[in-house]
């Protein structure tokens, strides 16, 4: 019998094969991943068994061998009628639960007739203005038998009130309603920005929802603590993990402070994580999250093991999807779906191949949904509980993530909790630095994205997309609002709204008061405004990070050439070239805008980072007052066809057609010509190399960069 080889022998054999090259992978999380793991790497780490504390290996003993995860598709299309029809088609095809996407006007607490939302109604989800919309949304879908997840944070009070009353009028009492409301406002202040009220009243709203649901809705999850949007904003998996768990701890503390028994509401808390392309890291992240939550809840005084058990929904990453060569997105989503199930998710949404460009078509949504069905029904992966449990690499990585995330969680606690950390701004700054660093790695081809910065096609094939007629949707919504208002008891409605305003200034439960408003046919905008009268409306201005994107380039010849180009424009104009990065409409996703501000700022542009949620008229006022050379209009939620042409027309009317307007973000290729015809000077879609974009902007300003050499392209 031959002797067992030693690690030293393996190392010598490996070095010989790769000629001494260091095979260690230095991940963005700061983890050094070795090429080989052995039992020595998991010494002292005990993952336990599935269904038992700390739930590393799963929250149920039988996991998917007993019952697979719930298949969900996050969807909302223009009107309640369109969305209802889509839900029925998906449920017939095998979907098990509903996940509702609301449009941005709804998220921000505006009715569809509000002048600030002309370009947003129905564009990135379903428009909900009245209880009638909510009833139509679930028409023919029994709310006592269907689990409903609703991604809503800002306008969470009126949306949940409408859901409760829709159930009542369907004959379903509150205690039978099953589902989840996201209700995670700290994440909104940190990355997603679809907030309405300032932090303190926003946290009170969460406590009121905890209180109301714990008394009246025992089957309903009162919050989905979301890391998803953190990773989408650029967070590393360690940051997503740490800040999500810290958010959860903060919500629990607020609930207890409001007088609730921790074990009466903590069991109805759930989580929501993104699943990106770092396959094993994502599997370990979900396992680590369960360990961390058990530890946090034990420290907070929970006694019931159910209160310490982290249950999660997952969604495959939107950021990993590419506009270029989009059929590659089918493979990306499949890999991410496998990571979610191997990590032990309780439900899953798989993104469609066209979602880097627009809302999914029925064709692409079917592929996304069937991805989960194939994994469940054909692969045999559901027959074994935690099939990767015991892997030296997975267990070591799980422990590493626990330790690194715990360091951040302890820092948060030392500084007074997550609400104070968010107010101080350092978690957001950490995420934006990680985002800029990753963008630079991709643009420098240090991180491969197939079909984008490597193996790219010479010419992209056209792809069918779903296009929403925003004008028609808005007109239909306004007509329904008018109909509801004409048919209600106006005096009773106004009395209910006045009681809500009074309650906002006092201590009554806001959700309970809003349910009365919904019964009296108050609109979403009216309910939001009734609280805004006391709380006010919150606003922030982006602060781009500096030196991260440019720092990655160092003395790179092309980057130095771009800096020289900016200096040439400065010498000619007598000042630095000035760019206003504008976020118009109600889309709060600011990752792209912040990356542009950071990259162009590092090149030497004078950057004006505009506030979120501007109208075109407000953006024009800033552009003229700041005397900018270029307006960069950042679009994500399909408002570009309305908002950007309006911006250009207003600049012309004010005699400033000399200001160049460029557009960037999620803009389908089919819309490019219409924007060029409207006067847009350049368009930069998803995956655009920011150095390439800078060269094109310099050309617009009269400076031609020398062509990139073949040697530089290959570097």
């Amino acid at each position: 019998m031959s002797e067992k080889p030693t690690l030293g022998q393996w190392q010598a054999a490996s070095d010989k094969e790769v000629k001494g090259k260091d095979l260690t992978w230095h991940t963005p999380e700061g983890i050094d991943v070795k090429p080989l793991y052995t039992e020595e790497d998991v010494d002292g780490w005990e993952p336990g068994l599935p269904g038992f504390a700390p739930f590393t290996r799963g929250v149920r003993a039988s996991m998917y061998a007993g019952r697979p995860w719930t298949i969900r598709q996050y969807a909302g299309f223009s009107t309640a009628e369109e969305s209802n029809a889509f839900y029925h088609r998906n449920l017939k095809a095998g979907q098990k639960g509903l996940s509702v996407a609301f449009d941005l006007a709804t998220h921000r607490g505006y009715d569809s007739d509000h002048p600030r939302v002309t370009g947003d109604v129905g564009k990135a989800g379903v428009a909900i203005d009245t209880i009638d919309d909510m009833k139509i949304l679930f028409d023919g879908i029994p709310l006592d038998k269907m689990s409903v997840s609703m991604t809503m944070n800002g306008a969470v009070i009126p949306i949940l009130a409408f859901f409760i009353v829709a159930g009542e009028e369907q004959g379903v009492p509150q205690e039978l309603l099953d589902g989840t409301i996201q209700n995670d406002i700290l994440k909104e202040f940190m990355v997603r920005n679809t907030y309405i009220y300032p932090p303190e009243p926003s946290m009170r709203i969460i406590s009121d929802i905890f209180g109301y649901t714990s008394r009246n809705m025992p089957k309903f999850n009162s919050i989905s603590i979301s890391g998803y949007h953190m990773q989408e904003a650029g967070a590393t998996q360690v940051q997503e993990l740490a800040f999500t768990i810290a958010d959860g701890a903060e919500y629990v503390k607020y609930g207890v402070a409001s007088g609730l028994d921790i074990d009466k509401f903590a069991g109805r808390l759930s989580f929501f994580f993104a699943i990106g392309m770092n396959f094993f890291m994502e599997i370990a992240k979900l396992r680590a999250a369960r360990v961390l939550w058990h530890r946090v809840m034990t420290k907070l005084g929970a006694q019931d093991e159910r209160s310490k058990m982290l249950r999660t929904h997952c969604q495959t990453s939107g950021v990993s999807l590419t506009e270029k060569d989009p059929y590659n997105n089918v493979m990306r989503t499949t890999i991410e779906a496998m990571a979610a199930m191997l990590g032990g998710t309780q439900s899953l949404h798989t993104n469609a191949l066209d979602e880097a460009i627009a809302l999914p078509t029925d064709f692409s949504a079917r592929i996304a949904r069937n991805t989960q069905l194939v994994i469940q029904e054909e692969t045999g992966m559901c027959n074994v509980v935690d099939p990767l449990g015991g892997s030296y690499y997975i267990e070591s990585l799980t422990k590493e993530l626990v330790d690194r995330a715990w360091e951040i969680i302890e820092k948060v606690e030392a500084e007074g909790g997550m609400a104070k950390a968010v107010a101080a701004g350092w978690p957001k700054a950490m995420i934006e630095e990680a985002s800029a660093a990753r963008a630079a790695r991709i643009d420098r081809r240090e991180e491969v994205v197939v079909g984008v910065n490597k193996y790219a096609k010479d010419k992209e094939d056209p792809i069918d997309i779903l296009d929403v007629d925003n004008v028609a949707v808005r007109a239909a919504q306004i007509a329904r609002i008018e109909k509801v208002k004409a048919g209600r008891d106006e005096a009773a409605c106004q009395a209910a709204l006045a009681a809500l305003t009074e309650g906002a200034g006092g201590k009554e439960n806001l959700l309970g008061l809003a349910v009365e408003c919904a019964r009296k046919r108050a609109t979403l905008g009216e309910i939001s405004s009734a609280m805004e009268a006391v709380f006010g409306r919150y606003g922030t201005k982006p602060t781009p990070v500096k030196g991260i994107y440019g720092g990655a380039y160092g003395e790179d010849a092309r980057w130095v050439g771009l800096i020289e180009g900016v200096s040439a424009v400065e010498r000619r104009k007598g000042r630095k070239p000035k760019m206003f990065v504008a976020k118009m409409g109600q889309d709060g996703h600011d990752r792209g805008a912040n990356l542009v501000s950071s990259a162009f700022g590092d090149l030497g542009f004078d950057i004006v980072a505009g506030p979120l949620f501007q109208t075109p008229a407000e953006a024009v006022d800033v552009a003229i007052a700041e005397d900018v050379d270029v307006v960069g209009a950042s679009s994500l939620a399909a408002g570009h066809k309305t908002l950007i042409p309006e911006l250009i027309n207003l600049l012309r009317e004010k005699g400033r057609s000399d200001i160049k307007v460029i557009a960037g973000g999620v803009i389908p290729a089919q819309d490019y010509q219409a924007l060029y015809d409207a006067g847009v000077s350049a368009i930069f879609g998803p995956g655009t190399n920011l150095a390439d974009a800078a060269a094109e902007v310099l050309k617009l300003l009269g400076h031609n960069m020398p062509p990139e050499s073949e040697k530089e392209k290959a570097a």
Side-chain angles (χ1 to χ4, degrees):
M1 179 183 286
S2 60
E3 292 186 8
K4 180 180 178 181
T6 66
L7 275 175
Q9 289 172 316
W10 169 82
Q11 187 67 62
S14 175
D15 287 345
K16 183 178 179 181
E17 290 172 1
V18 298
K19 297 180 174 56
K21 178 183 176 183
D22 183 10
L23 296 180
T24 301
W25 173 31
H26 306 286
T27 76
E29 291 77 19
I31 296 172
D32 291 339
V33 174
K34 303 185 299 182
L36 178 70
Y37 284 80
T38 69
E39 62 268 27
E40 292 180 9
D41 293 294
V42 294
D43 186 40
W45 172 254
E46 178 49 62
L49 291 172
F52 293 89
F55 308 107
T56 316
R57 304 193 64 186
V59 296
R60 298 172 64 240
S62 60
M63 284 303 289
Y64 308 142
R67 184 180 70 201
W69 68 90
T70 301
I71 297 173
R72 294 186 182 274
Q73 286 302 101
Y74 175 54
F77 296 87
S78 61
T79 65
E81 291 91 345
E82 288 283 335
S83 299
N84 177 262
F86 181 81
Y87 294 157
H88 277 285
R89 292 194 297 274
N90 277 15
L91 292 170
K92 185 177 180 181
Q95 184 176 315
K96 302 300 183 184
L98 297 180
S99 293
V100 183
F102 299 97
D103 76 353
L104 289 163
T106 303
H107 273 288
R108 294 270 294 147
Y110 293 118
D111 286 335
S112 295
D113 58 1
H114 198 284
R116 297 195 74 86
V117 300
T118 54
D120 296 298
V121 176
K123 292 298 287 186
V126 60
I128 299 292
D129 296 307
T130 66
I131 179 60
D132 285 15
D133 289 329
M134 189 69 83
K135 289 173 68 176
I136 292 167
L137 187 67
F138 297 117
D139 185 41
I141 298 171
L143 293 178
D144 56 342
K145 296 181 174 63
M146 181 61 58
S147 173
V148 176
S149 173
M150 293 180 286
T151 300
M152 178 52 65
N153 303 280
V156 63
I157 288 285
I159 284 295
L160 193 47
F162 285 169
F163 179 68
I164 290 166
V165 176
E168 287 178 355
E169 297 187 7
Q170 203 185 80
V172 179
Q174 296 181 30
E175 60 266 23
L176 295 183
L177 292 173
D178 187 5
T180 303
I181 190 85
Q182 192 165 100
N183 194 26
D184 177 4
I185 205 65
L186 286 174
K187 165 263 304 171
E188 297 295 328
F189 290 120
M190 205 183 332
V191 291
R192 189 164 174 256
N193 301 312
T194 50
Y195 43 67
I196 300 174
Y197 313 110
E200 276 302 318
S202 296
M203 293 298 288
R204 176 201 164 175
I205 284 170
I206 289 171
S207 295
D208 281 4
I209 290 171
F210 285 174
Y212 186 95
T213 55
S214 66
R215 290 189 298 272
N216 302 296
M217 303 168 70
K219 296 177 67 178
F220 197 80
N221 298 320
S222 53
I223 195 168
S224 175
I225 303 150
S226 174
Y228 181 88
H229 304 93
M230 297 181 200
Q231 188 179 136
E232 294 292 275
T236 67
Q237 276 87 341
V238 167
Q239 291 168 352
E240 178 194 7
L241 182 56
F243 292 138
T244 305
I245 297 297
D247 277 352
E250 191 80 345
Y251 293 135
V252 170
K253 287 186 282 188
Y254 265 79
V256 171
S258 70
L260 296 173
D261 181 331
I262 190 170
D263 287 312
K264 288 290 193 296
F265 73 90
R268 300 310 305 176
L269 308 183
S270 67
F271 287 78
F272 175 29
F273 287 101
I275 303 295
M277 285 297 288
N278 193 340
F279 185 73
F280 293 107
M281 192 76 75
E282 294 291 11
I283 295 167
K285 181 184 76 182
L286 296 184
R287 301 170 95 250
R290 293 191 287 269
V291 174
L292 288 165
W293 187 240
H294 188 274
R295 185 183 296 179
V296 163
M297 291 302 288
T298 300
K299 289 186 68 173
L300 289 174
Q303 300 298 313
D304 188 341
E305 285 299 305
R306 180 177 170 77
S307 299
K308 307 175 188 179
M309 185 175 72
L310 182 145
R311 295 160 299 115
T312 189
H313 171 70
C314 290
Q315 180 174 338
T316 59
S317 171
V319 165
S320 71
L321 303 178
T322 64
E323 178 193 35
K324 295 178 180 178
D325 210 356
Y327 290 103
N328 289 338
N329 294 333
V330 177
M331 288 79 85
R332 292 186 178 102
T333 294
T334 302
I335 291 164
E336 291 168 351
M338 287 173 58
M341 70 81 54
L342 290 168
T345 190
Q346 277 59 69
S347 65
L348 178 62
H349 164 84
T350 33
N351 288 330
L353 66 95
D354 48 3
E355 286 190 68
I357 310 162
L359 290 170
T361 61
D362 276 9
F363 170 79
S364 64
R366 183 173 184 270
I367 294 173
R369 181 183 60 254
N370 285 357
T371 298
Q372 297 193 53
L373 291 172
V374 168
I375 292 173
Q376 284 191 358
E377 303 289 350
E378 296 187 25
T379 64
M381 284 194 281
C382 293
N383 297 328
V384 176
V385 180
D386 190 26
L388 292 185
S391 155
Y392 299 140
Y393 178 35
I394 286 292
E395 299 299 357
S396 176
L397 199 52
T398 301
K399 181 180 183 301
E400 186 86 17
L401 286 170
V402 167
D403 292 344
R404 287 179 179 269
W406 190 249
E407 290 177 8
I408 297 176
I409 292 168
E410 287 190 314
K411 179 183 177 183
V412 170
E413 288 305 303
E415 296 190 14
M418 200 61 190
K420 289 184 178 178
V422 168
W426 64 265
K428 182 178 180 67
M430 279 182 69
I431 291 171
E432 289 188 1
E433 287 175 4
S435 176
R438 180 166 191 250
R441 289 196 303 274
I442 292 171
D443 286 353
R444 286 174 53 78
R445 305 181 182 100
E446 294 166 356
E447 183 175 324
V448 173
V449 181
V450 173
V452 175
N453 64 2
K454 196 173 184 180
Y455 313 112
K457 300 175 71 175
D458 293 331
K459 183 180 179 182
E460 293 294 325
D461 298 322
I463 183 171
D464 291 333
I465 62 165
L466 181 69
D467 188 28
V468 174
D469 186 345
N470 162 251
V471 175
V473 172
R474 187 166 185 258
Q477 288 300 119
I478 291 172
R480 184 172 293 151
I481 291 170
E482 291 171 348
K483 181 181 178 181
V484 168
K485 287 183 176 180
R488 70 191 184 188
D489 181 334
E490 191 63 28
C493 180
Q494 293 303 323
L497 288 167
L500 177 57
T501 298
E502 185 178 346
K507 294 185 178 181
E508 286 190 72
N509 188 285
L510 295 173
L511 179 54
L513 293 168
V515 168
E516 281 303 310
C517 293
R519 288 171 179 148
K520 299 297 187 289
R521 271 36 194 181
T523 69
L524 175 134
E526 289 174 325
I527 294 171
S528 296
S529 294
M531 293 182 287
E532 187 180 340
V534 176
F535 299 150
R537 185 171 278 267
Y538 188 69
T540 58
K541 185 176 179 180
T543 305
V545 297
K546 297 178 180 178
I548 304 296
Y549 185 92
Y553 278 83
E555 296 304 312
D556 177 274
R558 185 157 186 251
W559 185 256
V560 172
L562 288 167
I563 292 173
E564 290 172 353
V566 173
S567 297
V569 174
E570 181 179 359
R571 288 191 297 272
R572 178 165 47 82
K573 296 179 73 70
R575 61 168 175 80
K576 291 182 177 182
K578 201 169 191 180
M579 175 186 283
F580 169 37
V581 180
K583 283 290 294 181
M584 296 180 292
Q586 299 305 308
D587 169 31
H589 295 87
D590 58 358
R591 177 180 184 167
N594 290 338
L595 286 175
V596 169
S597 295
S598 296
F600 279 70
D602 287 351
L603 280 171
F605 277 76
D606 188 356
I607 297 296
V608 178
L612 301 175
F613 314 123
Q614 286 192 309
T615 63
E618 290 167 342
V620 164
D621 288 344
V622 172
I624 293 174
E626 294 284 350
D627 192 24
V628 301
D629 303 299
V630 180
V631 175
S634 174
S635 174
L636 181 73
H640 54 271
K641 289 199 294 186
T642 305
L643 300 170
I644 296 176
E646 185 179 343
L647 172 86
I648 293 170
N649 287 334
L650 288 170
L651 284 171
R652 287 172 179 160
E653 288 174 10
K654 298 204 174 188
R656 292 304 309 268
S657 56
D658 61 301
I659 296 176
K660 309 292 186 185
V661 175
I662 62 175
V666 180
I667 301 175
Q670 291 90 324
D671 294 347
Y672 279 23
Q673 193 56 53
L675 290 177
Y676 285 133
D677 291 344
V680 169
S681 297
I683 300 171
F684 304 108
T688 294
N689 183 301
L690 291 174
D692 291 344
E696 191 164 343
V697 171
L698 285 172
K699 186 176 180 180
L700 290 173
L701 297 178
H703 180 83
N704 287 319
M705 293 291 299
E708 185 179 10
S709 70
E710 291 303 315
K711 183 177 180 181
E712 287 171 328
K713 285 181 181 178

